[in-house]
């Protein structure tokens, strides 16, 4: 079942990226305010969890985002829920696309 597989894969991603979030919570020492950090900070402050949802759908490494969100002291729930939903949408779309290409 595509939806069950997508949900399990999304839960695994959330568990995996939680480590980056935890490291980011204690990262005052090694995270510097680079252009990328300021960009993510601006997106999160302007669009909130919708920015995280949009970013999580994109095929980019999300670990960096987890570090920054942890560094910004965003609550874990506001981090994990958009991550799960975004990855779920992405995996369903990939599965549907693969089904169309493979003709299944």
């Amino acid at each position: 079942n595509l939806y069950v597989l997508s949900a399990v894969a999304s839960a695994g991603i959330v568990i995996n990226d939680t480590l980056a979030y935890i490291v980011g919570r204690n990262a005052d020492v090694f995270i510097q305010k680079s252009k990328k950090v300021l960009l993510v900070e601006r997106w999160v402050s302007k669009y909130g969890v919708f920015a995280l949802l949009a970013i999580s759908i994109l095929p980019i490494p999300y670990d960096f985002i987890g570090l920054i969100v942890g560094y910004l002291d965003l609550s874990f729930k506001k981090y994990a829920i958009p991550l799960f939903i975004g990855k779920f949408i992405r995996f369903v779309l990939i599965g549907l696309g693969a089904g169309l290409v493979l003709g299944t």
Side-chain angles (χ1 to χ4, degrees):
N1 186 331
L2 173 63
Y3 300 104
V4 173
L5 181 61
S6 296
V8 170
S10 298
I13 293 286
V14 170
I15 291 168
N16 177 56
D17 288 349
T18 296
L19 181 60
Y21 175 83
I22 291 169
V23 169
R25 297 286 289 194
N26 302 307
D28 294 339
V29 176
F30 66 90
I31 291 183
Q32 300 171 350
K33 294 277 186 169
S34 68
K35 289 180 184 179
K36 291 180 183 178
V37 172
L38 293 174
L39 180 66
V40 172
E41 186 176 7
R42 194 171 344 120
W43 284 350
V44 170
S45 65
K46 186 173 183 179
Y47 301 109
V49 295
F50 297 109
L52 296 175
L53 178 66
I55 293 169
S56 69
I57 294 173
L58 298 174
I60 59 172
Y62 202 77
D63 294 336
F64 174 74
I65 305 299
L67 281 170
I68 303 306
V69 169
Y71 174 71
L72 296 174
D73 289 329
L74 192 69
S75 75
F76 181 72
K77 187 170 35 170
K78 288 183 180 180
Y79 167 73
I81 292 173
L83 172 61
F84 178 84
I85 293 170
K87 293 300 180 184
F88 180 80
I89 291 169
R90 180 171 177 229
F91 292 144
V92 167
L93 291 175
I94 289 171
L96 292 173
L100 288 174
V101 169
L102 298 175
T104 57

